[in-house]
């Protein structure tokens, strides 16, 4: 051999050694106490690399599962939905081959455990495990370990696994957030060097916005299990409800400097509806995880972190339904390898832990099969007897102002297997009238009793006041739908439970009219208005109430009503009518046909208070210094619920863009640290020239600090001074700061419903979500404050008395003119997690109704404007 060739070969060998130094082979991962069927394709056969060498792409993960389903008679694959970005959502059913012949029967045997007539038999019913992975896409060790777990399920041979598969149905959901997993895999892989860079400051370990954690619209899907606003959650919950598993796993990652965590979590922070026995069973499985990790000397901890309180999280949702939800948290390599205080954290190591605990969960649950199945049956028995013993028999919910909000709420209940029945007679409960046709009864006596209690809870005091997530999520409050407990024994309802309508029931548009009108109350009225503007239809909006003569007699209309006149249309009236008909049907709106411009009461159709609506062009600041979640929520709401295209501009580019393209700028929560004085001056000039800027939380604060918004936020010291700090011990620190925060609760505000920003709101009181101490001083000058916190503002969840006292009467919504433009400020997030249908319209109002806001923060400007208006009127 030539010398050169031989040294090249040595060099190649060295290169190979470097690249493979971190690679772990399949055999390294797998337990060696079983044999593996050699005919089952290995992950590397499909991926082209070993598990952990690269971050698996979602399409590769899907492909591998499909290949296993083709090769293994233990596997069945289903496509249960698609993500926003159209990635398939998978569910693999894994069991003994002979079980597939009677899968439906096995499912019925299992779900019958919830039957109060005790038709289910825990001795013979199959155990059901829901194995879910990486709901946070940048916590990828879970999904990458599902490759190994699936291989094991398909290939492992021997008595132990075969018996397990006979007794068990495994529902394998390898990626709970495909769009996020795909985003992070792309990020990590594109930055991978041949020589892995473990420096935590290296770009691979520091993602930009949006991070892989979130789904397409930047939502945390591990908060959506209850709210079901996203396709990933809806598909998953349908599977969950269909199967009612005994155990559900939820594999995550945490900070790189940590070790490994599995539940039980902090004992005092579990949901009060979760039985003690649930914790005991969780602890039972923990012994199996611990034994495995002890064997290899790996570090872990339990009970010190992560609460199990909010039922919209994957590890808590199952706990109130007779199942055991288990959270696993692995220290993240967030990339291929990263330095930590404990040494080097390598991706394959993180995958190993998740794989091992997948097996310990599965075998641990199987060895204690009887305990889990008995517990499940007892859970539902206990739920029925608690329902019988409760001091009320159910909830009445109803709202005749807006079927859209009410139906979306009922739809969520329906997806969770909760039945609601239409009232057949009007009743009054607790001083509220519930009308037949727009009211429903949710009886406690049904399988989902415990979940119902968790959904409708308005608890305000708790065992432990520190919350990892929200403490209040009362569904009817979020939807601004009145509800009461019903204590009577008899109530007239329909026999069949509510189900979603399969087709639109919107009536036909009357043939001819002077003008058409629809109310602003409906949740989708803003979308209909936007659709009309997009169709180049001339639209007017009423700033005052009126009654008009219509084809069905005299009809009263509230302020905010949208009117389409025959006058000023740029296209034939018949064409306008056809388009309006389509838009009204699509948004399920009832449209009245007005026959004359002269109205019996209030403003006429040609009034100056019937304001022409202009097309909007909305921009939102995102990226550095802006809150990713709130940006996503505003984007989602405007895009999906209002059909408004939103230009998203990075804060870093603000100084270089042409602002004249936009009519509205949205600034959600954030510090906006990278906007300077010049940027503020520019924004102020743009507003003075007619722009509308809308702030939310920190966005509003920034506007106030930069003299765009004329408002004063309550200083932190005002809250701080209220708290007594004498006699605090060192170990009171966590609970003290837990008390100081408002981590997420529902507050009540009083709306000035005569203000344009409140048009379309059915009542003066509105529940809003609050997760900060942001609040504005109520200005002495009248007409600026639109909503104030109630004297006792807390409606549901935890907030310390000291904080509530400061917040009472403070301003939550404030708006004013600035030059020719408008400034609108919200203290809170009005679209929280996309399920606050009740307050979301504030954002639409800030967009479409801003031109109706008249007062300026500078009273002399108001006086001048009034004089100008008077002069105009005098002509
Ligand atoms: Zn996570």
């Amino acid at each position: 051999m030539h010398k050169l060739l031989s040294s090249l070969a040595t060099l190649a060998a060295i290169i190979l050694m470097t690249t493979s130094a971190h690679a772990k082979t399949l055999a390294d991962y797998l337990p060696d106490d079983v044999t593996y069927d050699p005919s089952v394709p290995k992950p590397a056969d499909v991926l082209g690399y070993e598990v952990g060498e690269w971050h698996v792409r979602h399409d590769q993960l899907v492909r591998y599962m499909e290949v296993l389903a083709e090769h293994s008679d233990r596997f069945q694959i289903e496509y249960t939905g698609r993500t926003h970005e159209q990635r398939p959502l998978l569910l693999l059913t894994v069991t003994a081959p002979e079980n597939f012949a009677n899968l439906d029967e096995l499912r019925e045997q299992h779900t019958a455990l919830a039957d109060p007539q005790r038709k289910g038999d825990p001795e013979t019913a199959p155990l059901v495990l829901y194995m879910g992975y990486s709901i946070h896409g940048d916590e990828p060790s879970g999904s990458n370990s599902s490759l190994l777990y699936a291989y094991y399920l398909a290939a492992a041979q021997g008595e132990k696994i075969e018996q397990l598969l006979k007794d068990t149905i495994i529902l394998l959901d390898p990626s709970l957030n495909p769009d996020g997993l795909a985003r992070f895999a792309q990020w990590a892989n594109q930055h991978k060097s041949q020589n892995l860079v473990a420096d935590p400051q290296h770009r691979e370990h520091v993602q930009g916005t949006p991070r892989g954690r979130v789904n397409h619209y930047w939502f945390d899907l591990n908060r959506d299990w209850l709210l079901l606003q996203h396709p990933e959650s809806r598909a998953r919950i349908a599977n969950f409800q269909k199967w009612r598993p005994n155990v559900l796993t939820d594999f995550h990652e945490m900070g790189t400097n940590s070790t490994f965590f599995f539940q039980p979590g902090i004992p005092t922070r579990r949901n009060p509806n979760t039985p003690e026995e649930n914790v005991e069973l969780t602890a039972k499985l923990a012994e199996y995880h611990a034994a495995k990790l002890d064997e290899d000397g790996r570090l872990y901890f339990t009970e010190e972190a992560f609460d199990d309180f909010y039922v919209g999280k994957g590890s808590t949702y199952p706990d109130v339904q007779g199942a055991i939800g288990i959270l696993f948290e692995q220290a993240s390599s967030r990339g291929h390898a990263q330095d930590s205080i404990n040494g080097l954290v390598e991706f394959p190591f993180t995958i190993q832990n998740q794989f091992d605990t997948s097996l310990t969960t599965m075998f641990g649950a199987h060895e204690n099969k009887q305990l889990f199945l008995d517990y499940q049956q007892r859970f539902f028995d206990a739920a029925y007897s608690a329902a019988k013993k409760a001091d009320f028999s159910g909830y009445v919910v109803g709202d005749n102002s807006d079927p859209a909000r009410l139906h979306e709420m009922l739809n969520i209940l329906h997806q969770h297997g909760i039945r609601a029945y239409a009232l057949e007679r009007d009743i009054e409960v607790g001083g509220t009238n519930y009308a037949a046709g727009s009211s429903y009864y949710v009886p406690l006596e049904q399988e989902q009793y415990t979940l119902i209690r968790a959904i409708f809870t308005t608890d305000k005091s708790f065992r432990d006041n520190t919350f990892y997530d929200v403490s209040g999520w009362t569904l009817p409050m979020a939807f601004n739908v009145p509800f009461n407990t019903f204590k009577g024994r008899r109530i007239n309802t329909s026999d069949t439970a509510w189900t979603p309508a399969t087709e639109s029931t919107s009536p036909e548009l009357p043939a001819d009219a002077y003008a058409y009108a629809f109310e602003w109350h409906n949740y989708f009225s803003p979308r209909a208005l936007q659709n009309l503007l997009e169709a180049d239809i001339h639209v007017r909006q009423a700033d005052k109430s009126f009654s008009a003569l219509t084809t069905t007699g005299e009809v009263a209309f509230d302020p905010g009503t949208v009117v389409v006149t025959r006058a000023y249309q740029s296209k034939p009236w018949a064409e306008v009518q056809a388009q309006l008909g389509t838009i009204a049907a699509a948004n399920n709106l009832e449209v009245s046909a007005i026959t004359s411009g002269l109205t019996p009461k209030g403003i006429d159709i040609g009034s100056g208070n019937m304001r022409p609506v202009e097309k909007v062009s909305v921009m939102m600041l995102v990226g550095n210094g802006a809150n990713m979640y709130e940006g996503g929520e505003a984007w989602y709401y405007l895009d999906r619920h209002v059909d408004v295209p939103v230009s998203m501009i990075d804060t870093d580019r603000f100084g270089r863009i042409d602002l004249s393209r936009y009519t509205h700028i949205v600034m959600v929560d954030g510090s906006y640290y990278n906007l300077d004085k010049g940027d503020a001056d520019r924004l102020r000039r743009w507003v003075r020239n007619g722009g509308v800027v809308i702030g939310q939380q920190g966005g509003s604060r920034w506007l106030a600090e930069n003299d765009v918004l004329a408002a004063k936020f309550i200083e932190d010291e005002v809250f701080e001074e209220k708290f007594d700090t004498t006699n605090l011990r060192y170990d009171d620190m966590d609970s003290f700061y837990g008390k100081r925060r408002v981590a997420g609760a529902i507050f009540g505000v009083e709306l000035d419903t005569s203000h344009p920003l409140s048009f379309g709101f059915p009542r003066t009181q509105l529940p809003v979500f609050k997760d900060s101490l942001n609040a504005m001083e109520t200005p002495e000058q009248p007409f600026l404050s639109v909503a104030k916190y109630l004297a006792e503002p807390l409606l549901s969840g935890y907030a310390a008395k000291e904080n509530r006292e400061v917040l009472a009467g403070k301003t939550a919504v404030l708006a004013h003119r600035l030059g020719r433009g408008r400034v609108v400020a919200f203290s809170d997030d009005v679209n929280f997690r996309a399920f606050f249908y009740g307050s979301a319209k504030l954002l639409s109002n800030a967009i479409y109704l801003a031109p109706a806001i008249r007062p300026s923060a500078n009273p002399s400007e108001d006086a001048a404007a009034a004089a100008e208006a008077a002069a105009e009127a005098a002509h």
Side-chain angles (χ1 to χ4, degrees), residues 102-279:
N102 52 348
L103 201 59
D104 285 341
E105 203 180 301
L106 288 167
R107 188 172 67 81
E108 271 160 35
Q109 280 177 27
H110 177 82
T111 54
L113 294 174
D115 191 322
Q117 310 304 321
R118 292 190 77 91
K119 292 210 177 95
D121 180 1
E123 301 274 329
T124 55
L127 181 74
V128 179
L129 308 178
Y130 194 110
M131 305 295 289
Y133 294 86
S134 297
I135 197 160
H136 295 141
D138 60 357
E139 300 173 6
S141 52
S143 286
N144 282 268
S145 78
S146 78
L147 295 161
L148 300 168
Y149 180 56
Y151 173 77
Y152 183 95
L153 290 174
Q157 306 291 301
E159 170 63 21
K160 193 173 155 196
I161 183 70
E162 277 151 25
Q163 187 58 48
L164 182 141
L165 290 172
K166 275 195 189 96
D167 300 336
T168 313
I169 315 280
I170 295 160
L171 306 169
L172 172 58
D173 194 338
S175 170
L176 300 167
N177 174 11
D179 294 348
L181 185 79
R183 191 182 305 126
F184 186 69
Q186 173 77 359
W187 180 268
N189 289 337
Q190 75 191 357
H191 292 105
K192 186 188 177 191
S193 303
Q194 182 167 294
N195 299 288
L196 300 185
V197 182
D199 173 5
Q201 303 186 74
H202 172 50
R203 200 162 194 264
E204 178 179 351
H205 311 305
V206 188
Q207 304 164 72
T209 298
R211 304 196 301 272
R213 177 182 179 90
V214 291
N215 80 343
H216 174 76
Y217 281 102
W218 311 359
F219 278 67
D220 185 337
L221 288 177
N222 200 33
R223 304 295 181 268
D224 195 48
W225 290 72
L226 183 68
L227 317 176
L228 307 184
Q229 296 302 306
H230 293 279
E232 298 89 343
S233 315
R234 288 193 286 267
R236 186 186 335 117
I237 294 311
N239 297 328
F240 182 97
Q241 293 301 337
K242 183 175 159 192
W243 277 101
R244 295 259 165 87
N246 296 92
V247 176
L248 180 141
T249 61
D250 188 18
F251 288 93
H252 288 252
E253 291 182 7
M254 57 184 161
T256 308
N257 289 331
S258 199
T259 58
F260 187 70
F261 169 88
F262 47 85
Q263 280 177 328
I266 298 175
T268 54
R269 293 197 214 153
R270 74 164 194 270
N271 189 283
N273 293 292
T274 301
E276 181 61 38
E277 217 185 327
N278 174 296
V279 183

Side-chain angles (χ1 to χ4, degrees), residues 240 245-248 263-267 269-286 289 303 307-309 311 313-327 371-372 374-376 378-379 450:
F240 182 97
N246 296 92
V247 176
L248 180 141
Q263 280 177 328
I266 298 175
R269 293 197 214 153
R270 74 164 194 270
N271 189 283
N273 293 292
T274 301
E276 181 61 38
E277 217 185 327
N278 174 296
V279 183
E280 289 161 17
L281 287 170
T282 308
K284 184 106 221 149
L285 290 179
H289 315 318
E303 294 190 315
D307 71 22
D308 228 355
F309 192 81
V311 293
K313 290 198 310 188
S315 56
T316 315
Y317 178 78
D319 292 345
V320 292
Q321 299 178 74
I324 312 293
I326 306 176
L327 173 70
L371 285 181
F372 285 88
D374 283 340
Y375 166 72
Q376 191 168 33
R378 266 182 286 114
F379 176 92
T450 316

Side-chain angles (χ1 to χ4, degrees), residues 457 460 471-478 742 744-748 766-771 793-799 835-836:
T457 177
K460 298 187 198 70
S471 59
W473 54 83
T474 321
L475 216 54
M477 287 183 181
V742 174
I746 302 178
F747 274 56
L766 174 72
V768 296
F769 179 77
K770 186 149 195 69
D771 62 356
L794 184 64
L795 300 182
S796 175
Y798 176 72
F835 84 115
F836 261 73

Side-chain angles (χ1 to χ4, degrees), residues 268-428:
T268 54
R269 293 197 214 153
R270 74 164 194 270
N271 189 283
N273 293 292
T274 301
E276 181 61 38
E277 217 185 327
N278 174 296
V279 183
E280 289 161 17
L281 287 170
T282 308
K284 184 106 221 149
L285 290 179
E287 292 168 17
Y288 290 81
H289 315 318
K292 175 64 194 165
L293 298 168
D294 287 349
E295 209 179 281
D296 292 337
R298 284 179 252 159
L299 297 182
Y300 57 87
F301 68 102
T302 65
E303 294 190 315
E304 282 174 82
F306 304 105
D307 71 22
D308 228 355
F309 192 81
Y310 167 49
V311 293
K313 290 198 310 188
S315 56
T316 315
Y317 178 78
D319 292 345
V320 292
Q321 299 178 74
I324 312 293
I326 306 176
L327 173 70
F328 295 93
E329 294 272 359
Q330 163 64 48
S332 185
S333 59
R334 201 83 74 221
H336 293 86
Q338 198 175 153
D339 290 330
S340 82
I341 59 166
N342 300 314
L344 186 65
V345 182
E346 290 177 293
F347 189 41
F349 170 77
T350 67
I351 296 171
Q352 181 77 59
N353 284 337
Q354 310 277 37
F355 170 57
D356 287 344
T357 47
S358 297
L359 295 185
T360 52
T361 301
M362 174 174 85
F363 286 115
H366 182 245
E367 276 179 33
N368 298 280
K369 172 174 169 281
Q370 221 48 62
L371 285 181
F372 285 88
L373 290 162
D374 283 340
Y375 166 72
Q376 191 168 33
Q377 187 171 52
R378 266 182 286 114
F379 176 92
F380 286 107
D381 284 352
Y384 274 101
S385 59
K388 283 199 181 76
K389 278 186 235 144
D391 58 2
F392 62 100
S393 53
Y395 293 96
V396 180
V397 296
D399 192 342
N400 59 9
S401 66
D402 174 11
R405 261 187 299 118
L406 181 63
H407 288 172
E408 178 57 23
M409 188 184 89
L410 293 171
N411 195 11
I412 293 172
L413 298 178
H414 172 73
Q415 291 175 77
H416 290 302
I418 295 170
R419 294 183 291 279
Y421 299 88
L423 291 195
E424 289 191 329
R425 234 180 265 165
D426 297 3
I427 55 167
E428 195 199 303

